[in-house]
Amino acid sequence: MLTPEQIELAREFSPLPEPPADPTNAVYEDLDAALLGQALFFDTRFSSNGEVSCATCHEPALGFGDGRKLAKGVAHHPRHSMTLWNVAYNRWFFWDGRKDSLWSQALGPLEDAREHGSSRLEIVHALADAPELVRAYTEVFGAFPNVSDSSRFPAAGRPVAEQPRHPHQVAWDTMSADDQRTVNRVFTNFGKLLAAYQRQLVSRRAPFDVFVEGLADNDPEKLAALSPSAQRGFTLFAGKAACHICHDGPTFSDLEFHSNRVATGEGVDPGRALGVLQLKVDPFNGASEFADDGGARATRKLQITPRGWHIPGEFKTPSLRNVAVTAPYMHEGQIATLAEVVHFYSTLEGAAPPDPKGEKLITAVQLTDAEQADLIAFLESLTDESLPAELRAAPAPADNATR
Amino acid sequence: MRHVSVSSFLVRFGVLLVLAAGFACQSDVAKQVPPAPVEPAPAEETVSWNEATSDVPARKVQWRVIDHDEVPRNEAFSMEVRVLSGESPTSLQRLDLKGWMPDHGHGFVQDPSVSTLDIGHYRVDGVLLHMRGTWELRLQLFDANGLDVVVIELEL
């Protein structure tokens, strides 16, 4: 059904290779680290109310999202929870790219007052109070520091930007630089454990991938993995609808930032325009002392990332793998269903006006109802949730840190 | 990727057009960054050069990708640029590289850095063509006579 040119194009989207290496995280491939990270991911002890874990907003049964329009941890959040499927393939993290590694991304929610609502000192103490976790940590990183002296290591504390009187900042300021570094080291290792687990959340054996394999070996069973409707949908995806301009390559994302003209709520979320500024001054960015590769590569990456290029309201292009199981959509969860997303791009009904300083990427692609159905069929063919069941929940005690 | 024209560069992209003009680049304003640690350039004969003709009389501009077999899409790469007057290298005050996608209305998402290897010989690191479509690589050549912009047009 596909033309030779379309077949060649399809091969640009599959297979998805292994996730890229992360030299800033020395334990990114360490299975013990991943197992401990998995335990931490589902553990609610690291939140201020003892009820929130990473899985609260990234629930495996909900496509490692939360199914909500806007996220809710210990409080409400103004952005939609991104799925964690294939998160390790990202170049930048969060909707606004304010982080440049998966481990550094994992630290943000822990201290966000709306998510875990905790602080790095509380995180470190919670770890220290769990002997089974300390044992597992020690196996990965070596000795766990003694943080029992409360005069040196307050119960709670962290840097709080532009709030010098915040209790967390006041407590943090009482600490010596060496003790702050000790806490930061454990805290960043916490993120590296979480990253080692999240790296395993890979989806790359969807019906579309099977179909592309079938194109190579002319296997009729594999070719049957993609329905005629989905095949037509692919030709629209990479043709008339031009979705592939942004959702490109095997990740189905260009990994960069755009305004898609979906109307937003009150106020202006600056998106990448602010995210890139935050990234450059982040004490845990890839150029920091906590990057295990010495920072050389990331320093370079940060140097050449421009500050002023982005207009307000640009957000990261999400991957489309597993898109059918990660509703709702967009950075504020503005669109409830995949059908509505396709309808939006087809008509631009309700779209925000284009920014005259912005890109000229978004135009109404004017798909017929049948074409919209075909495109949805193709998007649904990108679903692969065949992750082993043992990665979808906290590890069994015999297998994890409590062993 | 479409083949638009044939070039001396034996890869699958097409060099459409090389123009030279004294106009200002429309892409974002780049900052000067410290030069990257310069890795050894490949052996002279291993990768052929693409030719680009400037409007400046007798000036010839050559370029080649040095760390990939072809210009990659959405993967940072490095390139070399040589500027000749006749057959001899010619010195510039400065060389910059800007990017622009005329159909999309945007440029690079990162600013490549330029380091000098020799007289009229430059290395450009961190070139990222993050989207498919038509790209204009705009080499800005500054010398005592002003700005000369050489545009290398690529179809990715």
Side-chain angles (χ1 to χ4, degrees), chain A residues 248 254 300 303-304 360, chain B residues 31 73 104 111 113 132:
Chain A
D248 203 359
D254 65 357
R300 173 117 195 80
Q303 279 178 338
I304 61 177
K360 299 179 292 183
Chain B
K31 61 190 179 300
R73 186 172 74 241
H104 293 188
D111 293 332
S113 63
R132 65 175 69 224

Side-chain angles (χ1 to χ4, degrees), chain B residues 109-128:
Chain B
V109 290
Q110 62 184 39
D111 293 332
S113 63
V114 179
S115 50
T116 303
L117 299 176
D118 203 343
I119 294 173
H121 190 186
Y122 302 90
R123 178 183 173 116
V124 187
D125 291 296
V127 187
L128 178 67

Side-chain angles (χ1 to χ4, degrees), chain A residues 19-20 84-91 93 102 195 198-202:
Chain A
L84 294 183
W85 279 116
N86 293 339
V87 67
Y89 292 87
N90 281 301
R91 181 179 291 152
F93 297 84
L102 184 50
Q198 293 174 65
R199 180 181 173 83
Q200 300 181 78
L201 308 180
V202 172

Side-chain angles (χ1 to χ4, degrees), chain B residues 38-142:
Chain B
V38 176
E39 299 170 8
E44 185 69 16
E45 301 306 322
T46 57
V47 185
S48 60
W49 292 89
N50 303 283
E51 300 283 342
T53 306
S54 163
D55 274 353
V56 173
R59 174 175 285 173
K60 186 161 63 177
V61 177
Q62 300 177 321
W63 66 278
R64 62 183 180 182
V65 176
I66 57 176
D67 57 353
H68 288 72
D69 292 336
E70 57 190 41
V71 173
R73 186 172 74 241
N74 205 13
E75 184 179 350
F77 65 94
S78 299
M79 57 190 286
E80 278 183 271
V81 177
R82 282 198 309 209
V83 182
L84 307 171
S85 182
E87 297 304 318
S88 302
T90 186
S91 62
L92 299 173
Q93 293 173 342
R94 202 176 85 202
L95 180 143
D96 286 339
L97 176 64
K98 310 292 182 182
W100 188 247
M101 294 195 83
D103 296 334
H104 293 188
H106 65 74
F108 288 154
V109 290
Q110 62 184 39
D111 293 332
S113 63
V114 179
S115 50
T116 303
L117 299 176
D118 203 343
I119 294 173
H121 190 186
Y122 302 90
R123 178 183 173 116
V124 187
D125 291 296
V127 187
L128 178 67
L129 311 181
H130 65 290
M131 301 184 81
R132 65 175 69 224
T134 303
W135 279 95
E136 294 178 358
L137 303 189
R138 299 177 173 180
L139 288 164
Q140 298 183 333
L141 284 56
F142 296 87

Side-chain angles (χ1 to χ4, degrees), chain A residues 342-361:
Chain A
V342 171
H343 181 75
F344 169 79
Y345 285 119
S346 183
T347 64
L348 290 187
E349 285 177 12
D355 188 319
K357 296 179 181 176
E359 303 169 326
K360 299 179 292 183
L361 289 171

Side-chain angles (χ1 to χ4, degrees), chain A residues 317-382:
Chain A
T317 307
S319 170
L320 296 181
R321 288 187 175 273
N322 278 339
V323 68
V325 296
T326 55
Y329 304 100
M330 311 302 166
H331 70 280
E332 292 179 359
Q334 298 102 310
I335 304 183
T337 68
L338 201 51
E340 290 172 280
V341 172
V342 171
H343 181 75
F344 169 79
Y345 285 119
S346 183
T347 64
L348 290 187
E349 285 177 12
D355 188 319
K357 296 179 181 176
E359 303 169 326
K360 299 179 292 183
L361 289 171
I362 303 297
T363 56
V365 294
Q366 297 180 333
L367 303 179
T368 66
D369 289 349
E371 288 173 330
Q372 291 185 43
D374 287 341
L375 184 53
I376 291 167
F378 168 67
L379 295 171
E380 289 172 338
S381 81
L382 302 178

Side-chain angles (χ1 to χ4, degrees), chain A residues 274-290:
Chain A
L274 178 60
V276 71
L277 301 180
Q278 294 174 316
L279 171 64
K280 285 175 180 285
V281 299
D282 190 322
F284 300 133
N285 67 26
S288 73
E289 63 179 294
F290 303 101

Side-chain angles (χ1 to χ4, degrees), chain A residues 201-317:
Chain A
L201 308 180
V202 172
S203 168
R204 56 181 184 150
R205 182 74 175 158
F208 175 73
D209 300 296
V210 176
F211 173 77
V212 173
E213 279 184 16
L215 292 173
D217 52 22
N218 204 26
D219 181 333
E221 284 190 21
K222 291 179 179 177
L223 290 171
L226 206 62
S227 70
S229 174
Q231 291 184 43
R232 290 193 298 273
F234 172 73
T235 66
L236 292 163
F237 174 86
K240 177 180 177 181
C243 312
H244 69 317
I245 298 299
C246 292
H247 294 282
D248 203 359
T251 61
F252 286 86
S253 169
D254 65 357
L255 311 176
E256 293 293 338
F257 304 84
H258 305 281
S259 168
N260 63 0
R261 297 185 52 192
V262 175
T264 59
E266 293 181 4
V268 176
D269 185 333
R272 178 59 166 168
L274 178 60
V276 71
L277 301 180
Q278 294 174 316
L279 171 64
K280 285 175 180 285
V281 299
D282 190 322
F284 300 133
N285 67 26
S288 73
E289 63 179 294
F290 303 101
D292 293 329
D293 64 346
R297 181 183 300 183
T299 299
R300 173 117 195 80
K301 183 174 167 183
L302 291 170
Q303 279 178 338
I304 61 177
T305 300
R307 291 173 182 271
W309 188 82
H310 298 273
I311 62 167
E314 291 184 357
F315 296 92
K316 187 169 64 181
T317 307

